[in-house]
Amino acid sequence: MDMMLVINWTNALVVTLLGFSLVFCLLVLLVFVLKLFGVIMEPKKVRRDEPLDEVSNSKIAGGATEEEQAVIALALQMFYDDSCKEGGTLTLKAKPTAWNSKIYGINNLEK
């Protein structure tokens, strides 16, 4: 009981406040560092020379026009429709494996 009276409460309070303020300052610093990384890593906007209204024959991603993309999409659809003879059904056949075999169980006790 006498030990409780020996504690220097001013030193304990100073250490506690110093610890809380240090953690708070480091968290604020971390927020600023993360914001800085966000600004640095933000993708740059690319300026387009042509106006956005001309969409009919404009080049789209990959350098292909809309007509070329439509032809490619139609060719892929026809290719995959002709090669799919099962009509969209998927058949799974179970292959026996040894991972769940009873001979490898831990409950096999020799008597």
Side-chain angles (χ1 to χ4, degrees):
M1 190 74 158
D2 291 329
M3 252 341 209
M4 189 95 162
L5 299 174
V6 176
I7 295 176
N8 189 352
W9 289 104
T10 56
N11 285 346
L13 185 63
V14 167
V15 169
T16 303
L17 290 177
L18 184 67
F20 276 115
S21 61
L22 182 66
V23 168
F24 182 74
C25 291
L26 287 176
L27 285 175
V28 170
L29 180 68
L30 182 65
V31 166
F32 283 126
V33 167
L34 290 177
K35 291 278 187 186
L36 180 66
F37 277 137
V39 169
I40 292 173
M41 298 296 177
E42 184 176 347
K44 304 210 187 248
K45 296 180 181 176
V46 178
R47 280 189 48 165
R48 300 182 84 182
D49 294 335
E50 58 192 41
L52 294 176
D53 296 337
E54 300 175 12
V55 179
S56 60
N57 279 331
S58 65
K59 295 279 184 179
I60 302 184
T65 61
E66 290 179 357
E67 291 86 8
E68 292 169 339
Q69 287 183 354
V71 169
I72 292 170
L74 180 64
L76 287 172
Q77 180 185 5
M78 290 175 64
F79 174 76
Y80 285 118
D81 282 346
D82 289 339
S83 67
C84 183
K85 305 293 184 199
E86 293 185 65
T89 59
L90 181 64
T91 306
L92 299 175
K93 294 181 181 177
K95 294 181 181 178
T97 60
W99 73 268
N100 61 349
S101 179
K102 292 185 180 195
I103 64 171
Y104 296 119
I106 60 172
N107 292 332
N108 294 333
L109 302 174
E110 295 182 21
K111 294 183 180 181

